[in-house]
Amino acid sequence: MALTVVIRSGELKSPATITFDAPRIVIGRGDGCEVRLPDPSVSHRHASIRQRGTDYVVIDEGSTNGTFVGPVRLSPQAPRVVRSGDLVRIGRIWLELKIEQALPTNNPQLTTREIALSLVASALSAQGETAAATVRIEQGDGSGKELALSDFERVYVVGRAPNADLVLGDEDASRRHVELLRRGQHVCVRDLGSKNGSELGGERLAPNKETPWPLAARLRIGETELSLSDPIAQALGELETAADERMRPDDHVAPPESEPAASAEEKPLAGPDSLRGGAPIAELPRARESLPASASKHGFRTADALVALIALVVLGLSVLGIVWLLK
């Protein structure tokens, strides 16, 4: 029997689903997790689901905000058997588990990455921030001109042609010089066999071959240099490296309302198009906003320093007391 994980938090147009047939599934905020949940209440390695014979068990991996099966919080490393239809809360995110006869998702690593990117895109849009990757002319004719790559899997053309998506005034550029394609977490570049070629990060591009565009690299076409910014990838990276957000004891996260079972034809597909436009599952850090000074990348806060200082004072007083008693 396969295990289907359904992300039920947030007002998504259609729930995101991933089906696994594996002995262990790791759930968390980190890049290496099989189910990636881009919410600061979720620990980097939060929980796991494991096969034990014909059963599946959920195990909390020592998370900051706990793992719940229904209303019951699990003790760390204490396995609990789950049944089909159980609701599991990871931080503030509700998941539904379905144990069923189903085909595993093709390329689950790609699917879970696209779901994470889609949830971040929805959150940015709901907060009024742009979620589109943007190409900008940094040097050359038309400096400052921008092209928003708003649509996944759409081909954008850059060149001298008047009908190009980004028109260049560079005489060394071909009419249709390169194509740009936003796919998953990457923007890909393909040189269209241009007369003078293209360089990405100082390396000449092979004609008619897709190459991922790193955010730090510049694309050079003749005397024109273009840069790429991607708020979705940046926000996801910030979420993955930020410290866990500790929930308050009185935080109440209501379980999702039950939904009628979808038929095979109605089963939602995971990916950017099925999730884009849904409400965020949590507020995201603002773009290009650094971590607060009171929280480091590893989660050391000002409160931790105060606790350590108090402990040192108490220890010092205890030593003085022992010395006084021994006089």
Side-chain angles (χ1 to χ4, degrees):
M1 299 289 282
L3 176 73
T4 298
V5 179
V6 185
I7 300 173
R8 292 292 306 277
S9 287
E11 297 176 3
L12 302 176
K13 291 183 178 179
S14 57
T17 67
I18 316 177
T19 300
F20 299 93
D21 185 10
R24 185 177 67 173
I25 302 157
V26 177
I27 304 170
R29 189 158 36 102
D31 186 9
C33 296
E34 281 74 31
V35 179
R36 291 170 67 183
L37 303 175
D39 187 288
S41 70
V42 177
S43 296
H44 292 83
R45 183 185 174 91
H46 195 109
S48 62
I49 303 174
R50 306 181 191 184
Q51 280 185 331
R52 288 198 175 172
T54 58
D55 292 327
Y56 282 94
V57 298
V58 175
I59 300 173
D60 182 88
E61 300 286 353
S63 64
T64 296
N65 293 307
T67 301
F68 296 76
V69 177
V72 179
R73 179 168 182 161
L74 306 185
S75 299
Q77 303 301 328
R80 181 184 177 95
V81 175
V82 289
R83 305 300 180 195
S84 186
D86 277 351
L87 293 174
V88 175
R89 181 158 69 84
I90 306 294
R92 65 166 61 90
I93 308 305
W94 283 101
L95 308 175
E96 182 180 358
L97 306 182
K98 297 181 178 179
I99 302 170
E100 56 188 357
Q101 291 284 359
L103 292 176
T105 300
N106 289 327
N107 199 340
Q109 293 85 1
L110 175 63
T111 299
T112 192
R113 183 169 64 242
E114 290 185 343
I115 288 173
L117 289 165
S118 299
L119 291 169
V120 172
S122 298
L124 288 173
S125 298
Q127 290 174 202
E129 299 185 36
T130 179
T134 302
V135 174
R136 175 186 172 89
I137 300 178
E138 298 291 350
Q139 179 180 309
D141 186 59
S143 179
K145 187 187 296 185
E146 295 183 343
L147 170 65
L149 310 180
S150 304
D151 300 325
F152 286 83
E153 299 295 338
R154 177 189 163 183
V155 173
Y156 295 84
V157 176
V158 179
R160 285 193 301 107
N163 61 345
D165 296 285
L166 181 60
V167 180
L168 303 181
D170 195 318
E171 293 182 355
D172 292 327
S174 299
R175 290 177 58 81
R176 292 171 55 88
H177 200 103
V178 298
E179 287 181 347
L180 306 177
L181 177 68
R182 189 177 181 185
R183 175 177 293 151
Q185 67 177 347
H186 297 295
V187 171
C188 295
V189 185
R190 178 167 54 224
D191 185 279
L192 297 175
S194 60
K195 180 179 179 180
N196 295 310
S198 313
E199 291 184 359
L200 182 62
E203 299 290 333
R204 190 175 181 88
L205 293 176
N208 299 307
K209 179 182 177 181
E210 283 189 10
T211 303
W213 185 344
L215 290 178
R218 294 285 183 92
L219 175 63
R220 188 173 184 86
I221 298 174
E223 298 300 319
T224 304
E225 282 194 1
L226 302 100
S227 65
L228 172 67
S229 62
D230 190 346
I232 299 177
Q234 182 176 340
L236 182 59
E238 290 175 358
L239 279 169
E240 288 179 345
T241 57
D244 294 353
E245 175 193 318
R246 189 175 294 276
M247 298 172 64
R248 298 189 306 271
D250 59 346
D251 280 348
H252 175 67
V253 185
E257 297 180 359
S258 60
E259 294 182 347
S263 65
E265 292 78 8
E266 296 172 339
K267 188 172 182 179
L269 297 175
D273 293 323
S274 65
L275 293 174
R276 198 179 306 118
I281 55 180
E283 186 175 0
L284 295 173
R286 296 292 175 177
R288 294 172 294 280
E289 184 178 88
S290 60
L291 289 176
S294 60
S296 73
K297 178 178 178 179
H298 298 289
F300 188 80
R301 303 172 184 271
T302 302
D304 299 328
L306 290 175
V307 170
L309 180 60
I310 292 171
L312 287 174
V313 171
V314 172
L315 180 61
L317 291 175
S318 300
V319 171
L320 288 175
I322 293 172
V323 171
W324 182 79
L325 288 172
L326 294 175
K327 286 184 178 180

